[in-house]
Amino acid sequence: MTGMPRVLIVDDSEDNLYYLRTLLGAYGYEVESALHGAEALEKARHSPPGLVISDLLMPVMDGYTLLRHWRQDDHLRNIPFVVYTATYTSVEDERLAINLGADAFIVKPKEPDEFMAAIGHVLSRVTGAGSKPVHMPEASDQDIVKQYSAALVRKLEDKTIQLEAANRALQQEIAERKLADMRLETLIEQANIGILVHRNFKPILANGEMARIFGYASKDEIQNMPDCKVLVADGEWERIEACYRERLDGRDAPVFYDLKGKKKDGTFIDLENRAFAIQWDDQLAVCSMLTDVTQQRKVEAQLRQSLRLEAVGQMTGGIAHDFNNLLTIIIGNAELIEESSDPALRALAEVARKAAERGAELTGRLLAFSRQQPLDPKAIDINLLISKMDGLIRRAIGGQLEIKTVLPANLWHVFVDPAQLENALLNLAINARDAMPDGGRLTIETSNIRMDEAAVADRGLAPGDYLLVTVSDTGTGMDRDTLARAFEPFFTTKEVGKGSGLGLSMVYGFVAQSRGHVRIHSAPGQGTSVRIYLPRAADEIALARPEIRDGSLPRGSEKILLVDDDAMVREMVVMQLQNLGYRVVSAVNGSQALDLLKREGGFDLLFTDVVMPGGLNGRQLAGEARKLSPGLRVILSSGYADTAVPHQGGLDQGVHLLNKPYRRSDLAKKVREALT
């Protein structure tokens, strides 16, 4: 033979054929291939190769059988035969191949250089100078049959062992998959989010939480639905269907979005949906993971409203504070002018005073809304307070309305400012009157209520005992937009001149400042119900005594130190106190007041504004002053409540509070109360 011989490769593995074809081709050999022994014999007999390289384990005809036929064929027996195997690798397997006439026995895998060296060695031995004849069978047919049978038995045993190992591995994998499936099923079933898998909106899988969210008895009710569109509000479907098509087409679609769900009973709920495409039974489907956020959305809306009201309250509180100083001056001077002998001046002063008092009422409501009004809380019997207000409420709402009160016995006491509570109830009664122009019924009801953590979760309250005061009417009611703005100051649906829009805002601020909560339930044509939750008073707090009203102005001659940074307020109060018989010394700030206390002494009362510049506010000044004079009585005067004045009472012994603006009668009574 001249040149590179043609090589016939026999192997049922395409990967092995590709490897040998590439390797031998790189060395210049012409390569032909066959997938089993029968195909190799047919090709070789048609066109004998120069070398055959054969695997042993092959279908149709294995390598041993091919080798035996090869050496028995007169046209092929002299062509060298190389065995290349990864299956029959024992010494007995090699001996059988040699006995059948193989020229070389190579075990896979073999390094390329070593493999080509072995092939070259075989070819050089049979084609070069002094070449040896092709290796012929050495054993008898009987011995070969025995060896071949033994090889088959060994392979059968090996395959049996391999199959048993593979079967055990398969059983283990099946068991692990079953366990994984059980765990996945448990995870899906116990998940606290609703899980729904659907194709074209036909449910394939749903979990128990899905049924609970939508008010169904079991997940089977959802899985058996012909169409899961019934779970979503009608107005949502155009958007959801568009997302579904985009998701299955591989286009960008929102993975996380909000939607409105519809429960079995028809009520709507707010949902968060995480949706994505998945393979299910070799087809695309959509998995939706749904969370009920209805309560969360309500809390968020309440928080937004609270923040909005807080911002408005800070602004209105500052305005009210400045106005209260001005109104204090106007009211005080008007009262002084009213004592004039000139009837015309008295009439003008009375008009000015009444206008200022109306302004004081408005600023009071602004301060109530902004929760900056100084309160004077007491332990009171709400039923008794409402009973005493019956005549006032009837006069305020007129005779065309029916009034019903439900005041059960054994009601707990509450700790609130009684004057502010009366004002709040009167405002609610007037609002109810305006909502019932054609008549109706106003109901005021009280009850004890014990609220746990779940009950107070969306009310901003601490768990505990509360008094519930409900004021209901059968009037026109409010729509959702009106209800959302009901507590905003100056918001009103009444005609111009028929309401300031401060009634409900005052109620809101007063109740919040009293550590309570107020909620409105209303709908058009179904009336309105305002529910006020007020904290129960501690048992050890005694009920407040009724105030004894006396028309005369109490007077005195004690020495008073007046401190106020506003010159006009200071001058007016000095004049009023002197007219009441008191000796008055004034100061513009806390530092000057302390100097006067050290130099002069002999003061019976310190009357000080709360908010002042100079480093000392009124309460701090009172503390320092009482260190110098331990028996000194104190009146704090404020146009609004800040951190210097407790919103819930708690003033020190001998310290009193007088809210601006005040009338001369209020000033006279408070000074006398403090001194006596």
Side-chain angles (χ1 to χ4, degrees):
M1 299 178 66
T2 60
M4 302 299 285
R6 183 165 53 86
V7 179
L8 175 61
I9 306 169
V10 190
D11 201 309
D12 63 325
S13 170
E14 290 288 350
D15 291 339
N16 292 339
L17 289 175
Y18 177 78
Y19 169 72
L20 291 176
R21 191 183 298 116
T22 303
L23 178 61
L24 291 166
Y27 278 83
Y29 289 94
E30 182 184 351
V31 180
E32 188 179 9
S33 62
L35 294 175
H36 50 75
E39 184 183 2
L41 278 176
E42 183 180 351
K43 287 186 175 184
R45 285 167 178 166
H46 181 266
S47 177
L51 172 69
V52 63
I53 302 173
S54 177
D55 192 15
L56 290 178
L57 185 62
M58 294 180 294
V60 184
M61 181 186 289
D62 67 0
Y64 286 124
T65 305
L66 171 62
L67 178 55
R68 186 163 56 85
H69 285 296
W70 197 270
R71 292 309 182 202
Q72 292 173 354
D73 191 304
D74 292 337
H75 299 287
L76 302 176
R77 63 192 312 169
N78 293 321
I79 299 172
F81 196 108
V82 175
V83 173
Y84 189 42
T85 180
T87 306
Y88 292 90
T89 59
S90 69
V91 175
E92 292 83 356
D93 297 331
E94 182 179 2
R95 185 182 301 118
L96 174 59
I98 298 301
N99 286 339
L100 285 169
D103 293 283
F105 188 92
I106 304 174
V107 176
K108 299 175 185 177
K110 199 74 168 178
E111 290 296 326
D113 292 344
E114 295 179 4
F115 177 80
M116 293 309 299
I119 295 299
H121 179 70
V122 170
L123 290 173
S124 65
R125 194 178 57 182
V126 299
T127 61
S131 61
K132 296 180 180 180
V134 171
H135 185 80
M136 299 304 292
E138 298 177 352
S140 64
D141 288 344
Q142 186 176 2
D143 289 337
I144 289 173
V145 170
K146 288 182 179 180
Q147 292 177 24
Y148 185 56
S149 299
L152 291 177
V153 169
R154 287 196 305 275
K155 284 299 121 186
L156 182 61
E157 290 175 347
D158 290 344
K159 285 297 178 185
T160 301
I161 293 172
Q162 292 175 11
L163 286 172
E164 288 177 351
N167 184 57
R168 286 195 298 271
L170 180 60
Q171 293 297 326
Q172 178 68 23
E173 183 179 352
I174 291 173
E176 289 175 354
R177 287 189 177 183
K178 285 184 177 179
L179 181 59
D181 289 343
M182 290 175 59
R183 288 173 176 169
L184 180 59
E185 184 177 346
T186 301
L187 179 64
I188 291 173
E189 193 55 38
Q190 294 184 358
N192 61 357
I193 59 173
I195 297 177
L196 173 68
V197 178
H198 67 89
R199 185 180 294 118
N200 293 324
F201 303 106
K202 172 66 176 73
I204 301 172
L205 176 143
N207 67 345
E209 181 66 9
M210 190 76 185
R212 189 199 65 78
I213 288 174
F214 287 89
Y216 289 88
S218 72
K219 62 183 181 181
D220 294 334
E221 283 193 73
I222 295 178
Q223 290 179 168
N224 294 333
M225 288 177 176
D227 192 330
C228 61
K229 291 181 179 180
V230 297
L231 301 176
V232 180
D234 296 340
E236 298 276 19
W237 273 112
E238 184 176 350
R239 176 169 64 100
I240 292 174
E241 286 178 336
C243 289
Y244 178 84
R245 289 191 296 271
E246 291 170 357
R247 194 171 291 115
L248 293 192
D249 290 344
R251 291 178 286 160
D252 289 338
V255 176
F256 181 88
Y257 56 90
D258 292 340
L259 73 153
K260 187 73 71 174
K262 185 165 66 175
K263 298 179 70 171
K264 185 178 182 179
D265 61 6
T267 58
F268 293 103
I269 54 177
D270 293 314
L271 299 169
E272 284 182 350
N273 186 26
R274 295 166 180 83
F276 47 90
I278 61 171
Q279 283 287 339
W280 192 279
D281 293 336
D282 298 326
Q283 295 183 56
L284 279 177
V286 168
C287 177
S288 289
M289 305 175 73
L290 296 154
T291 305
D292 183 357
V293 293
T294 306
Q295 192 62 31
Q296 178 183 333
R297 293 290 181 265
K298 288 181 180 178
V299 173
E300 289 172 353
Q302 290 171 357
L303 177 60
R304 285 193 298 270
Q305 184 187 34
S306 177
L307 292 174
R308 184 172 67 251
L309 295 178
E310 187 72 26
V312 176
Q314 290 177 359
M315 178 188 69
T316 56
I319 294 172
H321 168 247
D322 292 339
F323 266 93
N324 276 340
N325 274 338
L326 297 175
L327 293 172
T328 299
I329 298 167
I330 295 171
I331 292 173
N333 284 304
E335 287 185 320
L336 290 174
I337 296 173
E338 282 184 288
E339 296 179 358
S340 168
S341 59
D342 187 337
L345 285 178
R346 287 202 305 270
L348 291 173
E350 183 181 4
V351 171
R353 175 180 54 77
K354 288 182 178 179
E357 288 173 350
R358 287 184 61 188
E361 182 182 346
L362 288 175
T363 58
R365 292 188 176 192
L366 287 174
L367 288 172
F369 164 71
S370 61
R371 285 170 283 173
Q372 296 179 24
Q373 63 176 340
L375 297 180
D376 186 15
K378 300 177 175 64
I380 64 167
D381 181 340
I382 281 189
N383 283 353
L384 181 60
L385 181 143
I386 293 173
S387 298
K388 288 184 175 181
M389 288 185 66
D390 184 75
L392 176 62
I393 292 175
R394 291 183 185 277
R395 287 192 298 273
I397 67 174
Q400 76 277 18
L401 299 180
E402 175 190 353
I403 299 178
K404 179 182 178 182
T405 56
V406 181
L407 310 175
N410 301 318
L411 200 69
W412 297 326
H413 298 153
V414 292
F415 190 66
V416 294
D417 186 321
Q420 294 299 329
L421 178 58
E422 287 179 355
N423 199 8
L425 293 175
L426 185 59
N427 272 285
L428 293 177
I430 292 172
N431 280 349
R433 176 202 66 190
D434 295 340
M436 298 183 288
D438 299 324
R441 183 174 66 254
L442 169 68
T443 303
I444 303 176
E445 184 176 0
T446 59
S447 62
N448 296 330
I449 182 169
R450 183 157 287 157
M451 303 175 73
D452 57 19
E453 291 187 3
V456 301
D458 63 338
R459 292 177 170 86
L461 299 174
D465 294 338
Y466 290 84
L467 271 293
L468 174 60
V469 183
T470 305
V471 180
S472 305
D473 64 60
T474 58
T476 54
M478 291 182 273
D479 59 27
R480 181 175 296 182
D481 292 338
T482 303
L483 193 59
R485 301 186 60 191
F487 290 131
E488 291 183 12
F490 305 113
F491 174 77
T492 179
T493 58
K494 299 174 184 178
E495 297 177 13
V496 176
K498 292 194 175 181
S500 64
L502 289 173
L504 282 176
S505 62
M506 184 278 296
V507 174
Y508 167 84
F510 157 66
V511 173
Q513 194 175 350
S514 301
R515 298 195 182 103
H517 178 75
V518 59
R519 177 166 290 181
I520 303 176
H521 298 268
S522 185
Q526 298 182 20
T528 299
S529 176
V530 181
R531 299 178 183 179
I532 299 174
Y533 300 83
L534 295 170
R536 178 184 181 180
D539 292 337
E540 62 269 17
I541 300 178
L543 282 178
R545 295 179 180 179
E547 182 181 352
I548 301 174
R549 300 184 180 273
D550 186 352
S552 61
L553 293 182
R555 303 171 64 83
S557 59
E558 288 89 344
K559 187 177 181 181
I560 299 175
L561 175 58
L562 172 68
V563 189
D564 200 305
D565 61 297
D566 189 306
M568 289 189 293
V569 173
R570 193 169 61 251
E571 291 172 6
M572 185 273 299
V573 177
V574 167
M575 189 182 304
Q576 286 190 330
L577 290 173
Q578 288 176 341
N579 286 343
L580 291 170
Y582 297 104
R583 293 170 290 144
V584 184
V585 178
S586 65
V588 299
N589 57 42
S591 298
Q592 189 180 58
L594 289 177
D595 289 340
L596 287 169
L597 283 167
K598 292 174 184 176
R599 287 201 317 266
E600 291 192 23
F603 290 101
D604 301 293
L605 174 68
L606 171 65
F607 188 158
T608 177
D609 191 16
V610 172
V611 181
M612 294 184 298
L616 283 177
N617 63 41
R619 196 170 192 190
Q620 292 168 336
L621 170 61
E624 295 298 320
R626 298 185 84 181
K627 290 178 183 178
L628 297 173
S629 180
L632 184 66
R633 302 301 177 94
V634 177
I635 295 177
L636 299 176
S637 180
S638 176
Y640 74 117
D642 64 357
T643 55
V645 179
H647 295 198
Q648 295 291 329
L651 292 170
D652 296 334
Q653 180 83 17
V655 178
H656 299 259
L657 183 65
L658 179 61
N659 298 331
K660 293 180 181 178
Y662 46 80
R663 298 187 60 180
R664 185 170 58 160
S665 58
D666 300 322
L667 173 65
K669 291 176 182 177
K670 184 60 69 175
V671 169
R672 208 60 249 156
E673 176 186 341
L675 287 169
T676 57

